[in-house]
Amino acid sequence: MNDVIKPNWVALDWGTTHLRAWAMSADGSVLATAQSDDGMGKLERTGFEPALRALLADWVVDSAMPIIACGMVGSRQGWVEAPYCAVPCGALSNGFAHPDTSLNVQVIPGIKQSSPADVMRGEETQIAGFLALNPNWDGVICLPGTHTKWVHVSADEIVSFQTAMTGDLFAAISGHTVLRHSIGDAWDDAGFAAGVDSIMSRPERLAAQLFAIRAEGLLDGLGNDTARARLSGLLIGAELAAAKPYWLGQQVAVIGEGGLSRLYINALKAQSVTALQVNADRVTLAGLAAAYRNWKDT
């Protein structure tokens, strides 16, 4: 017989494609986890509460139990639009948003920047968790993903940040342009490194370098796996060139344990920057715990 799971509070990471939950004890330990593919991107506003109740059905959760949520659940297309806090600011704000539900759901606000215009939602919780685990840390935090963030942190505040749609560009170019005929499924480390190296000094040549992938495949037999890696190297290299004012001469931490984060670490290493790789789940949970403490103190 399974033990009954009765959390003290619940932590939620509710993104575009997935929903993850942690049942938390009073001392901050994890009692159980649950997840589903009921991300924000597939739900109408009326579908959020049923999706959450289904996920938590095996836990004892009453209407008073705090449920602290981060991510796209707080976007304009989400369950409730949580306000943005303007930089410079702490990673976490006390201005939680509460959706129309009998459950005690508290959604963490995002962060905005007026000039140049930029926003983040969900990453602020990971940044808060990283800072909670690394007190007095100053530098730049890179959060690779479909939309990669470069975030300057100083004195426990987010000073500024920059977003690059590199992941979206890779998906669009590899799947919907002439390069779709050239891109394989495997990988070539040397091809990635060559792409980064060739674009860092001349990022304005990106469009021409992209077509060269196709031409070299037709004329010189460039392999599809090397082509895939070079495309990634060109795009990440161009992003690094644009983000150079962030990482040059700074401590750098890369949040994420997967292959994509490793590509960023390798690309930075080629520029003589040694980056600290950070476990994303660990800092996400630490950030949600910090938000829960903020909520209790309000």
Side-chain angles (χ1 to χ4, degrees), residues 80-149:
V80 61
E81 186 174 8
Y84 290 109
C85 182
V87 295
C89 62
L92 295 177
S93 163
N94 291 331
F96 296 92
H98 180 62
D100 183 15
T101 173
S102 60
L103 295 170
N104 187 13
V105 177
Q106 305 293 331
V107 180
I108 298 169
I111 305 290
K112 68 179 179 180
Q113 177 177 276
S114 296
S115 181
D118 213 330
V119 294
M120 71 169 74
R121 198 175 285 285
E123 294 90 353
E124 78 292 321
T125 304
Q126 293 186 316
I127 294 165
F130 176 81
L131 294 177
L133 296 171
N134 299 273
N136 304 314
W137 190 91
D138 282 5
V140 169
I141 299 174
C142 174
L143 300 101
T146 304
H147 303 151
T148 297
K149 308 287 185 185

Side-chain angles (χ1 to χ4, degrees), residues 239-282:
E239 179 188 327
L240 259 62
K244 194 171 185 178
Y246 275 84
W247 53 261
L248 186 64
Q250 295 278 354
Q251 283 195 107
V252 179
V254 178
I255 293 180
E257 62 280 1
L260 179 59
S261 295
R262 176 54 57 184
L263 292 181
Y264 277 82
I265 287 172
N266 290 343
L268 286 164
K269 185 177 181 180
Q271 311 309 311
S272 301
V273 176
T274 300
L276 172 68
Q277 189 169 16
V278 181
N279 182 280
D281 285 348
R282 184 170 182 241

Side-chain angles (χ1 to χ4, degrees), residues 46-61:
T46 55
F48 282 88
E49 182 169 346
L52 180 57
R53 289 187 180 277
L55 185 72
L56 306 183
D58 293 335
W59 302 349
V60 179
V61 177

